């Protein structure tokens, strides 16, 4: 018998290749396409890609991508499950405070150990008296606490307060109720002003006589210090409208002022304390005056420091007493460093403020200069020189002499000048620039307005920090005004822009009397409209009261 042959069933797939239907025995088996070029990885990887190297993330991936054939679907009832709270358990507040206190105590102990080690290193180079003084300071710090820190309460939260309450400063003049605010200028806007088109100055009148600078003062050091002497000379601080020369020059300009008044306006954005300037708009001209108050001419001390002097009353380190001391030092040093009874440099005319020939007037030379700031606006300024000196080529140089003073470095937490001035004079000057920015800026502007060739700074300190009447000269330093302006970042275009803005504001006002006042607490200056008899009625009232008292006394005698 021949073999029985059954032909297989061939399924034709007209749209592709392979079977047209899944066999019954393979129906429920999931299928994942793969390629023979795919790499075989781990059998199971419960960590996934969490700890894999990023360079091998696609090492075992298939070219067909990942399918969802092996995805797990949970189809059971979850109503019997309960949510478990995974929130972090809060510790009791007493435990948290205890931990915080322990951390703070540990930090304080570590800081104290570091300070003790540093002090031990420093005391190895101190004398016996200095070591004893350091021990006393440490005992006082442990007894009363360090610095000016105060323990204060605010509700239930206690915290360390690094400094005391901000002291309220008073205005330089009491603002009356009838005064009206015309204009308010804030410092951020004034800092953006620029005016570069200022013409070269022109000398109209020169008067006065000056002594020559004694160059031996340039060789003074902390080891060869010299006592500051008291010089009995007369300093004239005459305001604008009382100047006889300015009255004669009234027809040659539209704006009249002194150099210190203009410098105050041009550097006003650096000021902290309050000041005021009187403006008189008369006959199409502006006269900038100061009141009959000596406060305007006083030199402030540490006005722009982080912590200004806070002592009050008659304390020798109160702001007013420090200003009096600084002015006294500046006057005496500017005359002591000159050659006495020697040759004098004389201008064309004599000092216009010297009434008596027998009185000894301070060495000063006046220059009445004219500046044009555009639009036919001429400014007449009375400028000052303190001395003259011979230059390297034999030429005559005009000098402006100013003084920086030290009163109590230990209370400020900085090194004494006697230790740093000879070796780190630049650091000392940088500290002064930071603490007295407004005063140094005014001095620089005055030197530039007057055309001084040099500006000299004398460094003067107290002989004893607890005695404000005795001082010693520790050294001096010399600058060209233009270079000094660059060092203290003084932009003269901004200074002229501020002045031009204030002048334009005043010219727009009607003729009358006005007051420019710096706010004692805010970086703002305000222009007030004040009556014409302001600041003169008080004097008249005093004269009237005194004359009436004399009449009463005469009647009683009769």
């Amino acid at each position: 018998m021949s073999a029985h042959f059954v032909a297989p069933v061939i399924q034709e797939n007209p749209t592709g290749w392979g079977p047209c239907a899944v066999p019954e025995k393979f129906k429920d088996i999931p299928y994942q396409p793969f390629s023979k070029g795919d790499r075989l990885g781990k059998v199971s990887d419960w960590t996934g890609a969490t700890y894999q190297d990023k360079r091998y993330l696609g090492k075992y991936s298939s070219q067909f991508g990942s399918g969802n054939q092996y995805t797990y679907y949970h189809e059971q009832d979850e109503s019997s499950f309960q949510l478990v709270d995974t929130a972090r358990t809060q510790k009791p507040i007493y435990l948290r405070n205890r931990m915080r206190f322990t951390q703070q105590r540990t930090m304080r102990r570590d800081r104290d150990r570091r300070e003790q080690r540093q002090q031990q290193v420093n005391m190895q180079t101190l004398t016996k008296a200095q070591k004893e003084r350091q021990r006393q300071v440490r005992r006082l710090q442990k007894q009363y606490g360090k610095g000016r820190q105060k323990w204060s309460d605010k509700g239930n939260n206690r915290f360390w307060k690094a400094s005391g309450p901000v002291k309220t400063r008073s205005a330089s003049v009491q603002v009356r109720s009838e005064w009206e605010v015309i204009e308010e200028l804030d410092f951020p806007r004034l800092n953006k002003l620029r005016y570069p088109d200022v013409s070269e100055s022109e000398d109209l009148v020169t008067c006065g006589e000056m002594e020559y600078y004694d160059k031996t003062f340039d060789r003074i050091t902390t080891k060869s210090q010299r006592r500051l002497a008291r010089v009995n000379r007369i300093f004239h601080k005459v305001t604008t409208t009382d100047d006889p020369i300015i009255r004669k020059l009234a027809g040659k300009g539209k704006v009249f002022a002194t150099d210190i008044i203009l410098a105050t306006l041009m550097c006003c954005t650096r000021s902290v304390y309050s000041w005021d300037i009187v403006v008189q708009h008369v006959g199409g001209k502006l006269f900038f005056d100061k009141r009959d108050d000596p406060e305007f001419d006083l030199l402030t001390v540490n006005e722009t420091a982080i912590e200004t002097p806070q002592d009050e009353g008659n304390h020798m380190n109160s702001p007013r007493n420090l200003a009096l001391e600084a002015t006294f030092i500046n006057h005496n040093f500017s005359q002591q460093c000159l050659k006495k009874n020697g040759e004098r440099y004389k201008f064309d005319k004599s000092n216009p403020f010297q009434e008596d020939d027998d009185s000894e007037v301070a060495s000063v030379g006046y220059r009445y200069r004219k500046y044009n700031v555009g639009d036919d606006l001429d400014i007449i300024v009375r400028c000052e020189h303190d001395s003259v000196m011979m230059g390297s080529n034999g030429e005559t140089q005009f000098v402006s002499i100013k003084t920086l003073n030290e009163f109590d470095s230990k209370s400020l937490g900085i090194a004494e000048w006697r230790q740093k001035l000879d070796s780190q004079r630049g650091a000392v000057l940088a500290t002064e620039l930071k603490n007295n920015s407004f005063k140094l800026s005014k001095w620089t502007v005055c030197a530039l307005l007057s055309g001084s060739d040099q500006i000299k700074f004398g460094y003067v300190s107290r002989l004893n920090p607890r005695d404000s009447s005795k001082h010693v000269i520790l050294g001096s330093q010399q600058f060209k005004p233009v270079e000094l302006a660059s060092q203290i970042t003084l932009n003269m275009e901004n200074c002229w822009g501020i002045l031009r803005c204030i002048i334009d504001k005043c010219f727009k006002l009607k003729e009358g009397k006005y007051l420019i006042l710096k706010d004692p607490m805010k970086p703002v200056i305000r222009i007030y409209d004040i009556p014409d008899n302001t600041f003169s009625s008080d004097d008249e009232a005093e004269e009237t009261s005194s004359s009436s008292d004399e009449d009463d006394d005469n009647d009683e005698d009769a």
Side-chain angles (χ1 to χ4, degrees), residues 29-40:
I29 299 176
Y31 171 74
Q32 173 68 35
F34 68 94
S35 172
K36 292 183 178 180
D38 293 344
R39 296 186 180 185
L40 297 178

PDB file of all heavy atoms in Angstrom, residues 29-40:
ATOM      1  N   ILE A  29      -1.219  34.242  25.394  1.00  0.00           N
ATOM      2  CA  ILE A  29       0.175  34.522  25.751  1.00  0.00           C
ATOM      3  C   ILE A  29       0.549  35.894  25.199  1.00  0.00           C
ATOM      4  O   ILE A  29       0.422  36.140  23.990  1.00  0.00           O
ATOM      5  CB  ILE A  29       1.115  33.448  25.204  1.00  0.00           C
ATOM      6  CG1 ILE A  29       0.764  32.069  25.805  1.00  0.00           C
ATOM      7  CG2 ILE A  29       2.573  33.806  25.476  1.00  0.00           C
ATOM      8  CD1 ILE A  29       1.598  30.945  25.243  1.00  0.00           C
ATOM      9  N   PRO A  30       1.014  36.786  26.057  1.00  0.00           N
ATOM     10  CA  PRO A  30       1.414  38.121  25.542  1.00  0.00           C
ATOM     11  C   PRO A  30       2.664  38.033  24.698  1.00  0.00           C
ATOM     12  O   PRO A  30       3.546  37.196  24.935  1.00  0.00           O
ATOM     13  CB  PRO A  30       1.667  38.938  26.823  1.00  0.00           C
ATOM     14  CG  PRO A  30       1.972  37.935  27.876  1.00  0.00           C
ATOM     15  CD  PRO A  30       1.168  36.700  27.528  1.00  0.00           C
ATOM     16  N   TYR A  31       2.737  38.909  23.732  1.00  0.00           N
ATOM     17  CA  TYR A  31       3.855  38.885  22.806  1.00  0.00           C
ATOM     18  C   TYR A  31       4.507  40.260  22.776  1.00  0.00           C
ATOM     19  O   TYR A  31       3.823  41.288  22.684  1.00  0.00           O
ATOM     20  CB  TYR A  31       3.381  38.500  21.404  1.00  0.00           C
ATOM     21  CG  TYR A  31       4.449  38.670  20.345  1.00  0.00           C
ATOM     22  CD1 TYR A  31       5.519  37.769  20.264  1.00  0.00           C
ATOM     23  CD2 TYR A  31       4.385  39.727  19.440  1.00  0.00           C
ATOM     24  CE1 TYR A  31       6.500  37.923  19.303  1.00  0.00           C
ATOM     25  CE2 TYR A  31       5.369  39.883  18.479  1.00  0.00           C
ATOM     26  CZ  TYR A  31       6.419  38.981  18.405  1.00  0.00           C
ATOM     27  OH  TYR A  31       7.391  39.127  17.448  1.00  0.00           O
ATOM     28  N   GLN A  32       5.811  40.258  22.912  1.00  0.00           N
ATOM     29  CA  GLN A  32       6.575  41.498  22.848  1.00  0.00           C
ATOM     30  C   GLN A  32       7.547  41.400  21.683  1.00  0.00           C
ATOM     31  O   GLN A  32       8.395  40.507  21.656  1.00  0.00           O
ATOM     32  CB  GLN A  32       7.357  41.708  24.156  1.00  0.00           C
ATOM     33  CG  GLN A  32       8.316  42.879  24.123  1.00  0.00           C
ATOM     34  CD  GLN A  32       7.581  44.225  24.064  1.00  0.00           C
ATOM     35  OE1 GLN A  32       6.522  44.356  24.657  1.00  0.00           O
ATOM     36  NE2 GLN A  32       8.129  45.150  23.317  1.00  0.00           N
ATOM     37  N   PRO A  33       7.433  42.267  20.704  1.00  0.00           N
ATOM     38  CA  PRO A  33       8.370  42.180  19.566  1.00  0.00           C
ATOM     39  C   PRO A  33       9.785  42.503  20.016  1.00  0.00           C
ATOM     40  O   PRO A  33      10.002  43.320  20.921  1.00  0.00           O
ATOM     41  CB  PRO A  33       7.827  43.217  18.590  1.00  0.00           C
ATOM     42  CG  PRO A  33       7.046  44.162  19.422  1.00  0.00           C
ATOM     43  CD  PRO A  33       6.464  43.355  20.547  1.00  0.00           C
ATOM     44  N   PHE A  34      10.725  41.866  19.430  1.00  0.00           N
ATOM     45  CA  PHE A  34      12.133  42.077  19.765  1.00  0.00           C
ATOM     46  C   PHE A  34      12.959  41.881  18.515  1.00  0.00           C
ATOM     47  O   PHE A  34      12.508  41.346  17.510  1.00  0.00           O
ATOM     48  CB  PHE A  34      12.587  41.110  20.861  1.00  0.00           C
ATOM     49  CG  PHE A  34      12.630  39.676  20.447  1.00  0.00           C
ATOM     50  CD1 PHE A  34      13.819  39.107  19.975  1.00  0.00           C
ATOM     51  CD2 PHE A  34      11.483  38.883  20.498  1.00  0.00           C
ATOM     52  CE1 PHE A  34      13.850  37.783  19.588  1.00  0.00           C
ATOM     53  CE2 PHE A  34      11.531  37.564  20.096  1.00  0.00           C
ATOM     54  CZ  PHE A  34      12.715  36.997  19.639  1.00  0.00           C
ATOM     55  N   SER A  35      14.181  42.334  18.644  1.00  0.00           N
ATOM     56  CA  SER A  35      15.113  42.202  17.529  1.00  0.00           C
ATOM     57  C   SER A  35      16.275  41.335  17.972  1.00  0.00           C
ATOM     58  O   SER A  35      16.663  41.341  19.147  1.00  0.00           O
ATOM     59  CB  SER A  35      15.621  43.585  17.099  1.00  0.00           C
ATOM     60  OG  SER A  35      16.660  43.464  16.141  1.00  0.00           O
ATOM     61  N   LYS A  36      16.877  40.643  17.047  1.00  0.00           N
ATOM     62  CA  LYS A  36      18.015  39.806  17.378  1.00  0.00           C
ATOM     63  C   LYS A  36      19.233  40.636  17.765  1.00  0.00           C
ATOM     64  O   LYS A  36      20.154  40.149  18.396  1.00  0.00           O
ATOM     65  CB  LYS A  36      18.369  38.899  16.191  1.00  0.00           C
ATOM     66  CG  LYS A  36      17.323  37.833  15.903  1.00  0.00           C
ATOM     67  CD  LYS A  36      17.761  36.927  14.786  1.00  0.00           C
ATOM     68  CE  LYS A  36      16.725  35.832  14.527  1.00  0.00           C
ATOM     69  NZ  LYS A  36      17.142  34.925  13.421  1.00  0.00           N
ATOM     70  N   GLY A  37      19.219  41.889  17.380  1.00  0.00           N
ATOM     71  CA  GLY A  37      20.339  42.758  17.742  1.00  0.00           C
ATOM     72  C   GLY A  37      20.208  43.356  19.123  1.00  0.00           C
ATOM     73  O   GLY A  37      21.131  44.028  19.604  1.00  0.00           O
ATOM     74  N   ASP A  38      19.045  43.169  19.824  1.00  0.00           N
ATOM     75  CA  ASP A  38      18.870  43.717  21.169  1.00  0.00           C
ATOM     76  C   ASP A  38      19.730  42.953  22.150  1.00  0.00           C
ATOM     77  O   ASP A  38      19.863  41.730  22.071  1.00  0.00           O
ATOM     78  CB  ASP A  38      17.401  43.621  21.585  1.00  0.00           C
ATOM     79  CG  ASP A  38      16.516  44.525  20.747  1.00  0.00           C
ATOM     80  OD1 ASP A  38      17.076  45.429  20.075  1.00  0.00           O
ATOM     81  OD2 ASP A  38      15.281  44.328  20.754  1.00  0.00           O
ATOM     82  N   ARG A  39      20.295  43.725  23.142  1.00  0.00           N
ATOM     83  CA  ARG A  39      21.090  43.095  24.186  1.00  0.00           C
ATOM     84  C   ARG A  39      20.174  42.574  25.283  1.00  0.00           C
ATOM     85  O   ARG A  39      19.154  43.185  25.603  1.00  0.00           O
ATOM     86  CB  ARG A  39      22.082  44.083  24.792  1.00  0.00           C
ATOM     87  CG  ARG A  39      23.124  44.585  23.802  1.00  0.00           C
ATOM     88  CD  ARG A  39      24.150  45.446  24.522  1.00  0.00           C
ATOM     89  NE  ARG A  39      25.162  45.948  23.602  1.00  0.00           N
ATOM     90  CZ  ARG A  39      26.223  46.645  23.982  1.00  0.00           C
ATOM     91  NH1 ARG A  39      26.401  46.916  25.271  1.00  0.00           N
ATOM     92  NH2 ARG A  39      27.099  47.071  23.090  1.00  0.00           N
ATOM     93  N   LEU A  40      20.578  41.427  25.815  1.00  0.00           N
ATOM     94  CA  LEU A  40      19.803  40.859  26.901  1.00  0.00           C
ATOM     95  C   LEU A  40      20.309  41.423  28.221  1.00  0.00           C
ATOM     96  O   LEU A  40      21.500  41.352  28.534  1.00  0.00           O
ATOM     97  CB  LEU A  40      19.927  39.325  26.884  1.00  0.00           C
ATOM     98  CG  LEU A  40      19.372  38.641  25.641  1.00  0.00           C
ATOM     99  CD1 LEU A  40      19.594  37.141  25.727  1.00  0.00           C
ATOM    100  CD2 LEU A  40      17.895  38.962  25.489  1.00  0.00           C
TER     101      LEU A  40
END
